[in-house]
Amino acid sequence: MSKDRARAVKRFVTDFIVEIALVVAVAVYFVMAQGQSVGENLTFTMVGAGLMAVATYWTLHTARKGLEVIALRLHPGK
């Protein structure tokens, strides 16, 4: 079962790195969007909405992987 735990930890670390990259991308978007009103540039607004949707999805995905790692540590026989 240690292989399952090691694999889960490796996937979680990879997902967490992607999560950090997405948070940085959202932060860069917010810095670029300073001074613009919503809908002023429709393409820019749509890119931001899509980026935030992907970041939200990935955050939930990473949280699920984290819970999986915790569950494997608490119940290694399952």
Side-chain angles (χ1 to χ4, degrees), residues 24-59:
V24 168
V26 169
V28 168
Y29 173 79
F30 283 147
V31 168
M32 290 173 46
Q34 242 175 353
Q36 289 190 16
S37 57
V38 176
E40 184 177 315
N41 182 348
L42 187 58
T43 303
F44 190 74
T45 302
M46 288 175 56
V47 166
L51 182 62
M52 287 181 254
V54 169
T56 301
Y57 168 78
W58 201 260
T59 299

Side-chain angles (χ1 to χ4, degrees), residues 43-78:
T43 303
F44 190 74
T45 302
M46 288 175 56
V47 166
L51 182 62
M52 287 181 254
V54 169
T56 301
Y57 168 78
W58 201 260
T59 299
L60 294 172
H61 175 78
T62 303
R64 180 182 154 266
K65 294 292 183 179
L67 290 173
E68 181 180 323
V69 169
I70 292 169
L72 285 172
R73 286 186 186 203
L74 292 176
H75 301 288
K78 291 186 178 185

Side-chain angles (χ1 to χ4, degrees), residues 6-22:
R7 193 175 325 165
V9 169
K10 185 176 178 182
R11 281 186 291 178
F12 174 71
V13 169
T14 303
D15 287 351
F16 190 72
I17 291 169
V18 172
E19 176 72 26
I20 296 299
L22 283 170

